[in-house]
Amino acid sequence: MADIKIGIRQLVEFVLRAGDLNEQGNSQNTALIGARIHRQLQKERSADYQKEYYVKRMVDLDGDDYVIDGRADGIIADEDHLWIEEIKTSDPAFKDLSENTLTLYWAQAKVYGAILTQDLDYEKVTLRLTYYQRPTDEITTEEHEYTREELREFFDGLVAEYEYWIKLRNDWRIVRNDSIKDLSFPFSEYRNGQRDLAVAVYKTILTEQRLFVEAPTGTGKTISTLFPTVKAVGEEQIDRIFYLTAKQSTRKVAEDATDLMVEQGLKIKSITLTAKDKMIFPEEVDVKPENNPYMVGYYDRVKDGLKDVLENENQLGRENIQAYAKKHMLDPFEFSLDLSLFCDLIICDYNYLFDPMVYLQRFFAVEDKNNFFLIDEAHNLVSRSRSMYSATLTEQAVLDAESNEKTSTGNVDKKLLKKRMTQVDNEFQLIRNTFDEQGQDLLTDRDPLSSLERALLNFNEAAREWLPKQPDNDFTDSVLELFFASNKYLKISEFFDESYRLLISKDENRNLVIQEQILDPNPYLDESLSKGRGAIFFSATLSPVDYYQDTLGSEDGLVLQMDSPFADLQQNIIVTSYVNTKYAFRQQNIPNIMDSIEILVQQKSGHYLIFCPSYGFMNEIVAAFEMVHPEIDTIVQNNQMNDADRREFMERFENSLDQTLVGFAVLGGLFSEGIDLTEDQLIGVGIVSVGLPGLSEERSLLQEYFDEKNGHGFEYAYQLPGMNHVLQAAGRLIRTSRDRGNVVLMDQRFGTTRYLKLFPKHWHNFKRANSTDQLKNIISDFWKNED
């Protein structure tokens, strides 16, 4: 195991935090602003002032050595006296700080004092708290003197309380590790390639590297990555696994794999983190924190809740977390995050590691080699990470707030807020003037809008102080919406570099829309991944692997590309060279597409999925098909489907297996990945076009950027994202060793070298159909040889 460290702030906050869980209590000041203020104040100190003074103490906690460390903002240590300063920066006025907030501030300084009075041999120390209120630039200072003995007793008390939780965790580790030593693979035998994958994962953990695994559907990727990683936990190579996913369905797969090992005797504490809007209780919705009984006094009750869960539960999901949260009157979302500190396996969305707005600071504030990352369906992370590191701000949000202000009643102290909103509006007007002068639909720039950022920062500071005092009404809601949008914009502006572009356009109401668009989040993903020991990226589609290495922050990552565990004869891959779906030829090729679908579905009764490049083109194909074949049942995806609609769509395929059903869906949509239809539930897939994303300015900027970077602009912006959608859609067909069927690729481009080189290994026996007659013969022969 790596060295065990406990930050001084972490120690203090865990033991001493009390009172309410108030979402408005944390400052929105950015780290850069806080650091700048610290440096400004430190420069004003005397010549003998030592800034950022490193403080550490080794302590024995339940038989293990722990390093408790941190950096005091500044100290002065002369012959006669020791003086320590703790600087805090936040938005509320000093007089409005809660008693517990001040307790935590002083406690941190007292820990520095406890350690340094002993290390530097002083009998007394003067502790100074310097508080900088960011919106007003007002500075408040207080000083207290303590003896070495007073601070020693305080420090020992903190450590003793913390040791209870360390012992609780250590006792569990012994139980966990003993169970892992006896754990065997939860199936009677490995499938083809599974053992190789498990060995590769284990070696990656030992060597602290990152591994890209392309493992076709049916390989058993989840259990083959989780099992060796759990084994590494038992051998104390790592202590915590993060299983990161893009979809709820893959989180369920990870839970099922964990349950399989638990049935084999594994004892592990696992938790699935659920999005806040799905986790909180209905009675909490739209309730202010100060009126929410699950937040008021949260920290006074949370330790009892933690003890209760940890003594009685091992596998934690939404329902049982909510049950204990209700029992102890705790906000269930925040409670789940607190519980995760005591878990060995955390199953969660990508954003908990990678998103700069919501990542788990309790785990990822600093590097920790005890963490290891399993990243499922890793192909999704490319587009997801671009959205995480991009931000949009609309003029409409400013106009809505200004309009609602004119009709609002009951709001107080609006003068400063109105002034700050006017400043933001003025910046939009200046940008609008420049935009209109250019006479274009879209402007792009490589430089940020610094003056707009300053206006947004001033607005946020005013809004943060103003919002908690206001009643609920349309004006307050619109100010809050603008506050959140500007906060995201300001956060993303900290990352703005040569990989960013600024996009300015107008919406349907002719109001400005400003986007900070990242083109290459590669270095930021790398930084996030460096917070752990290593990572496994795995998916059925990671070709070409150098594209994913280059875009997912791991250019030097290891590679394992596996063969399909299924026989080639289970599926027929057919390229139709007579279909041209390039945009200019789509309309005239609808008859060819219709004929191809007809041939696919009429050679054998059963269920089929046809994937199309867009809703518009899909609807044209559906209308033509239903006109010619009203006798065939069809079901069509639409862009407004909720969970119930999605379930109904799937149930049509899971039932009525004795009749033909043709489903139409879009490439890259709900049904092109993450669904399992086995045996007779799906016997054929048709894919219309090579799936190129639609033309857009963002795609053009991507192409331009990567052309400059590596000469692969078209591939990175269009071809590879499109082909990934194709491979995912085709992967719906063969899910088990009992599945059989045809995949018809309806686009002559699939037969060109540019695309053939992207075909996975298990497509090497593809066939070409140069006419509809040839297609019919190929499919008919396939079903004749079904046995």
Side-chain angles (χ1 to χ4, degrees):
M1 296 277 291
D3 291 340
I4 309 173
K5 284 191 173 185
I6 304 169
I8 288 174
R9 182 172 178 176
Q10 173 190 347
L11 170 69
V12 164
E13 291 189 350
F14 185 85
V15 175
L16 296 179
R17 175 165 279 173
D20 303 343
L21 173 64
N22 190 330
E23 293 181 329
Q24 300 295 330
N26 296 322
S27 173
Q28 292 297 315
N29 291 321
T30 66
L32 289 177
I33 292 173
R36 177 177 59 78
I37 291 170
H38 275 58
R39 289 194 299 269
Q40 172 189 324
L41 294 175
Q42 288 166 336
K43 281 182 181 179
E44 297 170 359
R45 303 300 182 244
S46 60
D48 54 352
Y49 183 90
Q50 302 178 63
K51 64 181 181 181
E52 303 300 324
Y53 192 91
Y54 183 63
V55 178
K56 74 171 183 178
R57 169 62 49 83
M58 186 80 75
V59 297
D60 181 291
L61 296 178
D62 193 38
D64 291 320
D65 288 334
Y66 282 74
V67 175
I68 296 176
D69 69 346
R71 290 190 180 275
D73 291 318
I75 77 164
I76 298 175
D78 57 31
E79 292 183 2
D80 302 319
H81 196 68
L82 175 64
W83 181 89
I84 300 174
E85 181 176 40
E86 177 66 15
I87 301 172
K88 294 297 182 183
T89 305
S90 193
D91 295 337
F94 186 79
K95 63 181 178 60
D96 294 331
L97 295 176
S98 70
E99 181 180 345
N100 186 245
T101 297
L102 288 172
T103 297
L104 296 176
Y105 286 173
W106 281 110
Q108 199 169 337
K110 287 162 78 172
V111 172
Y112 294 136
I115 295 172
L116 291 181
T117 50
Q118 295 185 53
D119 288 355
L120 303 180
D121 195 19
Y122 285 90
E123 287 298 324
K124 294 181 181 180
V125 60
T126 298
L127 303 181
R128 169 186 273 194
L129 174 63
T130 299
Y131 180 78
Y132 190 107
Q133 186 189 7
R134 177 65 184 88
T136 64
D137 296 328
E138 181 177 348
I139 299 175
T140 304
T141 61
E142 285 189 0
E143 289 189 353
H144 292 291
E145 188 174 80
Y146 294 93
T147 66
R148 177 163 61 185
E149 184 60 23
E150 287 176 322
L151 295 180
R152 185 191 65 76
E153 290 181 6
F154 172 78
F155 180 77
D156 289 348
L158 280 181
V159 170
E161 168 68 13
Y162 199 81
E163 186 173 25
Y164 167 83
W165 297 95
I166 292 294
K167 186 176 188 313
L168 190 71
R169 180 75 177 143
N170 285 347
D171 289 348
W172 171 253
R173 282 193 182 101
I174 294 170
V175 173
R176 178 197 70 188
N177 291 355
D178 285 346
S179 76
I180 293 174
K181 289 174 185 175
D182 298 328
L183 182 67
S184 57
F185 193 68
F187 294 100
S188 58
E189 60 183 22
Y190 287 92
R191 293 180 190 171
N192 290 338
Q194 274 190 314
R195 185 185 294 275
D196 292 338
L197 174 53
V199 170
V201 169
Y202 189 77
K203 288 182 177 179
T204 302
I205 296 170
L206 292 184
T207 55
E208 301 185 23
Q209 298 191 75
R210 301 173 193 172
L211 172 68
F212 286 81
V213 178
E214 184 175 58
T217 299
T219 307
K221 297 182 289 292
T222 302
I223 193 63
S224 301
T225 53
L226 261 178
F227 175 73
T229 312
V230 168
K231 279 292 191 180
V233 169
E235 295 179 8
E236 299 190 3
Q237 298 295 327
I238 55 176
D239 191 49
R240 185 174 282 114
I241 307 166
F242 289 87
Y243 192 101
L244 301 149
T245 75
K247 293 182 173 65
Q248 184 65 41
S249 57
T250 44
R251 289 195 278 279
K252 179 65 166 59
V253 173
E255 291 172 342
D256 291 344
T258 304
D259 289 342
L260 274 176
M261 291 185 285
V262 169
E263 290 171 6
Q264 299 292 320
L266 172 65
K267 289 182 170 53
I268 193 169
K269 290 197 181 292
S270 64
I271 188 168
T272 301
L273 298 180
T274 304
K276 181 177 180 178
D277 60 342
K278 295 181 179 179
M279 193 67 182
I280 63 173
F281 297 124
E283 58 267 34
E284 290 186 273
V285 177
D286 297 328
V287 177
K288 288 186 175 182
E290 60 267 27
N291 298 324
N292 184 337
Y294 299 100
M295 291 186 175
V296 175
Y298 174 91
Y299 289 110
D300 300 326
R301 301 185 297 271
V302 67
K303 289 177 183 173
D304 287 339
L306 290 171
K307 292 176 185 177
D308 195 2
V309 172
L310 296 174
E311 289 173 358
N312 294 288
E313 304 287 346
N314 288 341
Q315 277 57 67
L316 302 172
R318 181 171 68 176
E319 291 184 1
N320 57 355
I321 293 172
Q322 286 178 327
Y324 281 93
K326 182 78 75 172
K327 175 181 177 181
H328 292 275
M329 290 299 292
L330 299 167
D331 174 78
F333 176 72
E334 193 67 27
F335 188 41
S336 69
L337 298 183
D338 287 333
L339 281 166
S340 69
L341 286 167
F342 298 91
C343 290
D344 314 299
L345 168 62
I346 299 171
I347 303 168
C348 59
D349 188 88
Y350 294 154
N351 59 12
Y352 286 104
L353 171 61
F354 296 109
D355 194 319
M357 297 298 294
V358 299
Y359 76 96
L360 296 173
Q361 293 192 36
R362 63 193 70 204
F363 294 114
F364 306 130
V366 296
E367 177 185 308
D368 186 347
K369 294 295 186 181
N370 290 315
N371 297 330
F372 194 80
F373 308 125
L374 301 178
I375 303 170
D376 195 3
E377 301 293 350
H379 63 276
N380 286 307
L381 184 55
V382 178
S383 59
R384 278 287 303 275
S385 62
R386 288 196 182 113
S387 67
M388 291 175 192
Y389 281 91
S390 299
T392 299
L393 191 68
T394 66
E395 186 180 19
Q396 187 66 55
V398 182
L399 297 176
D400 287 345
E402 290 181 326
S403 175
N404 288 328
E405 185 275 327
K406 295 174 182 176
T407 59
S408 68
T409 58
N411 296 100
V412 297
D413 301 329
K414 294 190 292 184
K415 185 176 179 180
L416 178 60
L417 183 73
K418 287 176 62 178
K419 178 181 178 181
R420 299 308 190 201
M421 282 198 304
T422 300
Q423 289 175 343
V424 175
D425 192 11
N426 289 342
E427 290 299 326
F428 267 101
Q429 291 305 315
L430 291 172
I431 298 166
R432 174 186 284 275
N433 293 340
T434 302
F435 183 89
D436 291 341
E437 287 172 5
Q438 298 294 319
Q440 300 178 24
D441 293 331
L442 179 76
L443 288 181
T444 63
D445 203 335
R446 297 188 180 218
D447 296 318
L449 295 168
S450 300
S451 58
L452 174 63
E453 291 170 17
R454 287 192 293 270
L456 291 172
L457 183 59
N458 289 336
F459 164 76
N460 268 24
E461 290 170 347
R464 185 162 189 81
E465 187 174 358
W466 179 84
L467 280 166
K469 309 170 187 175
Q470 307 310 312
D472 292 329
N473 55 37
D474 290 343
F475 178 45
T476 304
D477 290 345
S478 58
V479 170
L480 187 62
E481 184 176 341
L482 178 59
F483 172 79
F484 286 140
S486 61
N487 190 50
K488 171 78 182 284
Y489 190 93
L490 289 168
K491 180 64 179 178
I492 297 304
S493 69
E494 295 179 19
F495 300 98
F496 206 104
D497 60 12
E498 66 277 1
S499 68
Y500 273 87
R501 298 293 182 270
L502 191 74
L503 283 70
I504 305 174
S505 60
K506 288 186 177 180
D507 62 19
E508 62 275 10
N509 297 319
R510 307 303 297 164
N511 293 317
L512 291 181
V513 176
I514 301 174
Q515 294 172 267
E516 297 173 305
Q517 180 67 48
I518 196 169
L519 304 175
D520 186 12
N522 178 55
Y524 305 118
L525 298 180
D526 178 52
E527 184 178 347
S528 295
L529 291 164
S530 68
K531 300 300 172 61
R533 183 184 180 97
I536 310 294
F537 299 85
F538 54 103
S539 171
T541 54
L542 283 181
S543 291
V545 72
D546 54 353
Y547 163 69
Y548 290 100
Q549 290 172 304
D550 194 29
T551 53
L552 296 180
S554 303
E555 289 92 336
D556 298 325
L558 306 172
V559 177
L560 175 63
Q561 292 180 295
M562 303 175 63
D563 293 324
S564 172
F566 304 129
D568 290 345
L569 294 178
Q570 285 184 244
Q571 70 175 349
N572 215 12
I573 306 294
I574 311 164
V575 174
T576 60
S577 59
Y578 57 85
V579 176
N580 185 347
T581 69
K582 289 182 179 178
Y583 191 79
F585 299 95
R586 282 185 180 180
Q587 293 302 315
Q588 66 193 67
N589 271 266
I590 287 181
N592 286 338
I593 295 169
M594 285 278 300
D595 291 343
S596 302
I597 296 172
E598 179 181 308
I599 290 168
L600 172 65
V601 305
Q602 288 190 334
Q603 303 311 301
K604 181 179 174 66
S605 295
H607 293 177
Y608 297 85
L609 269 173
I610 309 299
F611 291 98
C612 304
S614 68
Y615 283 103
F617 194 37
M618 178 183 70
N619 290 333
E620 291 184 60
I621 294 171
V622 170
F625 184 82
E626 291 180 337
M627 182 176 294
V628 176
H629 294 288
E631 78 283 3
I632 296 179
D633 283 346
T634 60
I635 185 168
V636 183
Q637 178 186 354
N638 67 68
N639 58 2
Q640 302 294 326
M641 296 182 94
N642 55 30
D643 288 345
D645 297 330
R646 181 181 183 277
R647 184 68 249 158
E648 180 184 354
F649 190 101
M650 292 297 295
E651 286 174 351
R652 290 285 299 277
F653 280 86
E654 292 162 358
N655 302 319
S656 305
L657 302 182
D658 57 344
Q659 63 186 51
T660 294
L661 171 68
V662 181
F664 291 87
V666 292
L667 280 168
L670 282 173
F671 304 106
S672 63
E673 60 178 289
I675 63 170
D676 276 308
L677 296 170
T678 59
E679 300 186 58
D680 291 339
Q681 292 174 345
L682 185 66
I683 64 169
V685 168
I687 298 175
V688 180
S689 89
V690 292
L692 295 180
L695 294 173
S696 67
E697 186 63 30
E698 290 90 340
R699 290 283 167 187
S700 296
L701 291 172
L702 274 175
Q703 181 172 353
E704 177 187 300
Y705 175 86
F706 282 108
D707 271 337
E708 293 177 6
K709 181 179 178 180
N710 56 26
H712 296 292
F714 176 76
E715 293 97 315
Y716 279 28
Y718 292 99
Q719 184 190 11
L720 297 177
M723 190 60 182
N724 187 276
H725 289 156
V726 169
L727 294 172
Q728 285 292 322
R732 299 312 95 207
L733 182 62
I734 305 299
R735 313 297 295 175
T736 74
S737 60
R738 299 177 300 279
D739 300 342
R740 283 176 60 80
N742 295 275
V743 176
V744 180
L745 304 174
M746 298 178 226
D747 194 312
Q748 60 189 211
R749 286 173 287 185
F750 283 116
T752 64
T753 302
R754 179 189 287 270
Y755 281 91
L756 289 176
K757 68 182 182 181
L758 301 179
F759 278 21
K761 291 180 182 178
H762 56 285
W763 282 19
H764 69 281
N765 285 329
F766 79 94
K767 299 178 178 65
R768 293 179 190 266
N770 297 315
S771 66
T772 52
D773 287 342
Q774 224 176 345
L775 176 65
K776 182 176 181 178
N777 290 336
I778 292 171
I779 296 176
S780 177
D781 289 345
F782 176 82
W783 289 122
K784 286 178 183 177
N785 296 321
E786 184 174 2
D787 292 340

